[in-house]
Amino acid sequence: MFKNMMVYRLVSAWSTTQAQLEDALDSARFVECGASQEKSVGWTEPRGQAHGPLVEIVGGQWLLKLMIEVKTVPGSVVKRKVQEQLQHIEATTGRKPGKKEAREIRDDAKLALLPMAFTKQSSVLVWIDPKAGRLVLDAGSQSKADEVMTALIKAVDGLAVQLVNTQLSPAMAMAHWLGTQEAPTDFSVDRECELKAADESKAVVRYTRHALDTDEVAQHIALGKMPTRLAMTWNERVSFVLTEALQIKKIAFLDTVFEEAAKAAGDGKDDNFDADVAIATGELVQLIPDLLEALGGEVALGENPASSPVNTNTDARG
């Protein structure tokens, strides 16, 4: 259910009701791109059932989903069409179109090609945990996260969130774990890592399926290379990759989690959505605070980190 996590702190207590949020999202429900429309963004059913609710609540956890559809016209095709038009104008009028006219011709060519363009859809799951005061996005990049937050803040009047920040920067913490060959409590270091030099060389060393508790890795750390990505496992239950920007990627729930869930399964009449949500959020709601604690603890709203050369703190306010 979650492949990535970007974790935000709700600036104030969550007070929106399910009905209020449903109404707000319904006014921006996803509609596929029109013939000449290049992009469409809107809310869709988390459960995947057409005309279903846009807000799902399972065990106190709120789930939303933003759908993004984009039409892409290959640049080479547009360029060819523009060149044909420019050559036609020059051949028939004897004049060479200026930059402004060429730009207008390019825009017209792209618009004409849009109805024939293939569409690409992507979606981002939004998880709101009112009790913990957190909002989590299953987004793989900051730009995608910003797009989701823009849509959510537009829908929820007065919503204010802040990316979580920690007393220790992830880069410094990961460097300590690798340099000392000692993982934090409840975590283990796996076999994937990226190290980058801080000097002008920007040298990068990547390890994949490689032991990291070696003198070679420790030497790279000692020479000033800082970790930008590190694969880890929490409590032998969830594996993931931590980045220097405090993004959590490649989340995978290990077999133990599903074996326990199978033993506790009900009559199987549900479409598995509720079970998947319960499993994922049940694990991640414990992993997140443990990870923040391993990074020195979360910085309180309005507080500056004690020692954090990499600052991931940004605001998104309505």
Side-chain angles (χ1 to χ4, degrees):
M1 175 151 290
F2 289 91
K3 295 297 182 185
N4 309 282
M5 284 198 300
M6 296 185 66
V7 185
Y8 294 77
R9 167 64 60 190
L10 296 174
V11 173
S12 56
W14 181 259
S15 59
T16 304
T17 67
Q18 183 176 7
Q20 289 172 335
L21 185 56
E22 185 73 35
D23 288 343
L25 300 187
D26 190 60
S27 64
R29 187 180 284 267
F30 174 73
V31 178
E32 292 184 353
C33 287
S36 59
Q37 187 178 359
E38 192 171 356
K39 185 175 184 179
S40 179
V41 178
W43 299 98
T44 189
E45 301 86 352
R47 197 177 289 270
Q49 296 176 350
H51 312 298
L54 298 175
V55 181
E56 295 282 355
I57 302 180
V58 179
Q61 308 300 331
W62 297 44
L63 277 297
L64 326 171
K65 183 184 283 188
L66 188 76
M67 181 71 75
I68 303 167
E69 183 176 81
V70 179
K71 280 188 175 182
T72 304
V73 179
S76 58
V77 177
V78 175
K79 184 177 180 179
R80 186 173 69 248
K81 292 292 184 182
V82 171
Q83 282 299 120
E84 290 173 357
Q85 185 66 13
L86 293 176
Q87 290 170 2
H88 175 73
I89 292 173
E90 192 167 354
T92 56
T93 67
R95 67 178 181 83
K96 187 174 182 179
K99 290 183 178 180
K100 182 180 178 182
E101 186 176 1
R103 187 162 54 247
E104 291 173 348
I105 291 172
R106 184 185 184 282
D107 292 342
D108 289 343
K110 187 174 183 179
L111 191 63
L113 290 166
L114 275 175
M116 297 177 284
F118 289 105
T119 59
K120 181 179 181 181
Q121 290 186 346
S122 62
S123 62
V124 178
L125 197 63
V126 180
W127 165 28
I128 301 168
D129 184 347
K131 184 177 180 180
R134 295 194 186 98
L135 184 150
V136 179
L137 303 182
D138 186 358
S141 69
Q142 187 61 57
S143 60
K144 184 62 69 69
D146 290 344
E147 188 164 25
V148 177
M149 289 310 309
T150 297
L152 188 57
I153 288 170
K154 185 177 180 180
V156 184
D157 186 43
L159 175 65
V161 300
Q162 191 175 51
L163 274 168
V164 297
N165 201 0
T166 51
Q167 296 292 346
L168 295 174
S169 75
M172 291 293 290
M174 291 187 290
H176 175 73
W177 301 335
L178 289 171
T180 61
Q181 298 181 10
E182 184 175 345
T185 303
D186 296 327
F187 292 88
S188 60
V189 170
D190 295 338
R191 299 167 64 85
E192 179 182 339
C193 178
E194 179 180 275
L195 306 172
K196 184 178 293 185
D199 58 24
E200 59 186 18
S201 72
K202 303 298 181 185
V204 176
V205 178
R206 294 186 180 91
Y207 292 94
T208 303
R209 296 188 294 276
H210 192 289
L212 300 179
D213 55 346
T214 65
D215 291 340
E216 177 184 298
V217 173
Q219 181 68 10
H220 281 303
I221 298 294
L223 291 175
K225 289 187 178 68
M226 296 297 291
T228 58
R229 299 167 61 90
L230 179 64
M232 305 182 72
T233 293
W234 169 76
N235 266 337
E236 299 183 352
R237 300 178 69 82
V238 184
S239 66
F240 61 94
V241 171
L242 176 65
T243 77
E244 62 182 338
L246 194 47
Q247 296 177 10
I248 303 166
K249 299 176 177 288
K250 295 186 177 181
I251 296 171
F253 299 93
L254 305 187
D255 291 343
T256 305
V257 174
F258 295 105
E259 289 170 2
E260 292 178 3
K263 292 178 182 178
D267 57 15
K269 292 181 181 179
D270 186 58
D271 59 5
N272 292 328
F273 178 84
D274 288 4
D276 290 344
V277 171
I279 292 170
T281 60
E283 297 298 321
L284 298 178
V285 78
Q286 300 175 72
L287 184 157
I288 292 171
D290 281 0
L291 180 59
L292 296 180
E293 184 64 27
L295 295 171
E298 183 178 352
V299 175
L301 294 174
E303 177 188 354
N304 291 320
S307 174
S308 181
V310 179
N311 196 322
T312 61
N313 193 18
T314 61
D315 284 324
R317 299 182 182 277

